[in-house]
Amino acid sequence: MPSQLLTQESSGSIQPIDLKDVYVAVRRRLWLAAGIVVLGTLASAIFSMQMTDRYVSSAQLELRPPSPGVLESGTQSSENKEAPFIATQIEILRSRQLMERVVAELDLARVPEFNARIRDQQKRQQPIMAAYASQDAEQKEAVTAREIHKAVQLLGARIEAVRQSKSYLVTVSARSEDPARAAQIANGLIEAYLNFSLTTQVEDHRSTSSWLKGELVRTQTRLKEAETAAETFKKQHRLALTGQDTAADMQLGELTHQLALARADLAKYEARQREVRALIERGESAETIGRAMDSRVMADLRERQASLRQKQAEYSTMLGSRHPSFVALNSEIADLAREIEAEIARNVAALDNDLSVARSRVASLLESVETFEQIDLAEESALSQLAVLEGRVETERRLLNNLLEESRRSLVLAGQRPFDPVARQISEATLPMAPAEPNRKVMVVLGFLGSGVFAFGLVFLFGILDETFSTGRQLQSAFGAMNLATIPLQTQLVGQRGTRAMGIRNYLVLHRRSRFSEAFRLAHSNLVLLDVNTPPQVVMMASALEGEGKSTSAFCLAQTAALGGARTLLIDGDFRNPSLSSALVKNVSSGFVEVLTGQCTLEEAVVAERDSGLEILPLKEAVYAQPLGLNSASVQLFFDQVRQAYDFIILDSAPILPVGDAPILARWLDATVFAVKWEATPASALASALERVQMAGCPRIAMLLSQADLARIKAYGHGDDAYYTTQYGHKKMAAKKSRSPRKRRRFFRSSKEKHQDAA
C-alpha cells in the first residue's frame, strides 16, 4: 500500500496533548530540569542562610469590658458590645501613639536594627573597631525626627496583637534580631498600653463628672420650664386633667342621643304618612284607612259602626227595609260614616303636623350638634397640646432621675474603687531560646518545589516549541509517512571502538549482528512492505537539509540489500557534493552524468565492490549547473535500463531545500526515503521538502530516523521500535538471558556480574 504524505490543515479544533510526548519532552531535558531544581534549591538555601535571625517574644493580656451604666442599660446586649470593645483595644495596642512611647522609652531610634544610618555606619567601620563602636553607638549617635518616624514604622511592622479565639485573651508578639530586645519591646508595649488605659480612665472620669453636673443643672431648668408651660396652658384654656371628659363632650353626647330619638320618630311619622296616603290614593274604604291609623277615636267609631251594621242585619230580617226603625238605623249608619271620614281627615292633618314638627326638631338638633362638635374640636386641640407639654415634662423628669442615679453610682464607685482597669497582664514576655525567622527548612522546601515547578514548565515549553523528532512514532504521527527504522549513531555500535577508523564501507560486512546492521535490515524489510504487490525498485534517498546522514544511509541501505543477495546499484546523484564517490571510488573516469549524456555506457561507468557485491555508479566531479538532459527522455530510458539490469536501485540525491535537482528526479522513481536526523531536523523544513517531492509526483514516501542516541531513546520509555532494539544473537546477551531469574533478582551481586551487566 503506497504511503502518502498527510499534510497538516488548520481545522480550528483543539488537538489533545499526548501525555507520551509530554513525558518524552521532559525526559529529553531531564538534566536541564535537574540542574534548575538543584540551583533553585541551593539559591534558596544560600538566601536563607544570609537572612538575619529574628526572635519572637510574646506576652498575654486579659481584657475586661466595662459594665454598662444607667444611661446605657437596655440599649444593647453585652454580647454585641464585647466584639467592638476587643477590636478597639487591639487597634489601640497597634496605634502609633503607643509605638512612639515604646520607641522613646527603649530608645529604639538609636538601635542599628531600627536605624539604617547607624547600621550602615557600623558596616563601614573596621572589623577591629566595630566591636567597640557598637557598644557606644546608641549613646554617641544623635537621631533626627525622620529617623524616629522611621523607627516607629519599623516597630509597628514587627508588632502583632491577636485575639485568642472568642476569649478575652490577647497575645502581643514582638520580633527583633536580639532576643532580649524582643522581650523588652513586648513587655514595654503592654506597660505603655496599661498606662495609657489608666490615664484615659482618669480623664474620662473627670470629664464624665463635669458633664453630669452640668447636665443635671440643665435638666432641672428644662423640667421647671416644661411644668410652668403646662400649668399656664391649662389655665388659659380652662382644661381639666388629661383623661377626664369636658362639659362640651357631655353636652355633645346628650344631643347626639336626642338626635337619634328624633330621627326615629321622624322615620315613624313618614312611614305612617306614606301608608295612609297610599291607601287614600288607591281609593280604599274608610274602614281600611281607619285601621291603618293608630287612633283611639277611630277605634271607637269602628266599634260603633260594627255594632250598627249588626243591628241593621237583624232589622232587615225581622222588620224589613220599609220599617221606620230600619230607615232610622240606616240614617244613623250614614251619619257615622261621615263622621269617620271627618275623623280620617283630622288624623291625616294631625299626622302632617306631627311630621313637620319632627322634621323641625331633627334640624334643630343637627344645628346644636354641629355647634358643639366645633367646640369639642377646639377642646381636643387644646388637650393635644397639653398632652405634648405633659409628655415633655415626663421626659425631662425621667432624664433627671437617670442623671441622678448615674451621679450617685459614680460617686459610690469613686469612693470604693476609683478606677477599674480595662485589662491586666496575664504573662510577661520571656527570652526566646531559638529564632522564629527565617524558617530555613521551609524556605529550602519551597525553593525546591518552586524550582521544580519552574523547571517542569520551562522544559514543557521547550518541548512545545521544539520542532525536532525524538522517536519514530512522533515522525510517523506528524506526517503520516512510515518510519522504516531508527538508525543508531556509529559511536554506539555494540560498544566497538575504532568504527570510524575502520570506515563505514566494511562495517556492515564485519558486524552483521550489530544494532546498526539490524536497523538497516529492518529498514530494507519495511521498504519492501510499502507495497507488497509491487515493491519499490528505484528508491531515492533524500533529506531536507545537509548533514542528516543521507549519503551514509543510502550506502548502508544499498549494501544491506546487496548482502541479502539482490543485485543492487547505488547511484551518486548529489551533483553538488559527490561525497559517496569521493569516499568509495578512486580515479573516476566516467560516471552518472556521462551515462545520462551518452558519453559512455552504464557498464563502463559502474564500479563493483568486492566484499558485498554492491555496484556503484559514481560522479566524476561536482556539477554546479543542472546536467543536460536531466529533464529529457534520456532519464526515463536510463531508469528503464537499470530496472531491467538490477533488482534494487538507490539514488543518493542532493538535499531538497538547498538544491533543486532531487524533485526533478523524483518523478522517475518508485519511492523517496527521507533521512531525518534525530533531534535535529526541524519539522517545518521537513514539511517543505515533503511538499516539493509530493508536487513532483513521487508515488511513495517514507522516513528514516538517523543518528539516534539509543540510550536516550530507551530512557524516554516504550512506544518506539528503537526501545526494543538489542544485539540479538550476541554471545553476551545470550549469556545474560541464560541466568536464572533468582540470580537476576539478587540485590547484592558479585563484581563479575556487575561487570557483565554493565557490558
Side-chain angles (χ1 to χ4, degrees), residues 589-757:
S589 59
S590 59
F592 185 32
V593 176
E594 286 73 18
V595 174
L596 289 178
T597 56
Q599 299 178 15
C600 66
T601 62
L602 178 63
E603 290 77 9
E604 295 175 350
V606 170
V607 178
E609 192 182 36
R610 181 182 60 184
D611 297 330
S612 62
L614 174 65
E615 298 183 19
I616 304 172
L617 180 59
L619 284 172
K620 181 178 179 180
E621 59 184 358
V623 180
Y624 296 99
Q626 192 176 89
L628 296 175
L630 196 61
N631 295 325
S632 64
S634 60
V635 179
Q636 184 176 2
L637 294 176
F638 168 77
F639 283 111
D640 292 340
Q641 181 183 359
V642 297
R643 286 177 191 272
Q644 295 176 3
Y646 295 94
D647 299 328
F648 189 62
I649 303 99
I650 292 184
L651 173 66
D652 179 26
S653 69
I656 301 295
L657 297 182
V659 184
D661 298 339
I664 298 176
L665 295 172
R667 58 179 176 174
W668 310 109
L669 308 177
D670 297 335
T672 299
V673 177
F674 274 87
V676 181
K677 188 175 181 180
W678 181 77
E679 293 189 354
T681 304
S684 57
L686 183 58
S688 300
L690 288 172
E691 184 178 0
R692 288 190 182 183
V693 174
Q694 191 179 29
M695 290 176 62
C698 182
R700 303 179 184 90
I701 295 176
M703 302 290 177
L704 190 67
L705 190 61
S706 64
Q707 305 181 41
D709 190 342
L710 295 184
R712 291 177 58 184
I713 290 180
K714 289 187 177 183
Y716 296 162
H718 61 86
D720 190 74
D721 54 355
Y723 177 81
Y724 305 99
T725 301
T726 59
Q727 297 172 251
Y728 183 73
H730 197 272
K731 294 181 179 180
K732 293 183 178 181
M733 294 297 296
K736 185 176 180 180
K737 290 187 177 182
S738 64
R739 299 175 191 166
S740 63
R742 179 178 300 176
K743 191 172 184 179
R744 288 201 303 269
R745 295 192 196 101
R746 284 167 51 191
F747 182 79
F748 296 100
R749 297 176 295 173
S750 63
S751 59
K752 183 178 180 180
E753 292 173 344
K754 293 181 179 179
H755 178 72
Q756 291 177 354
D757 291 346

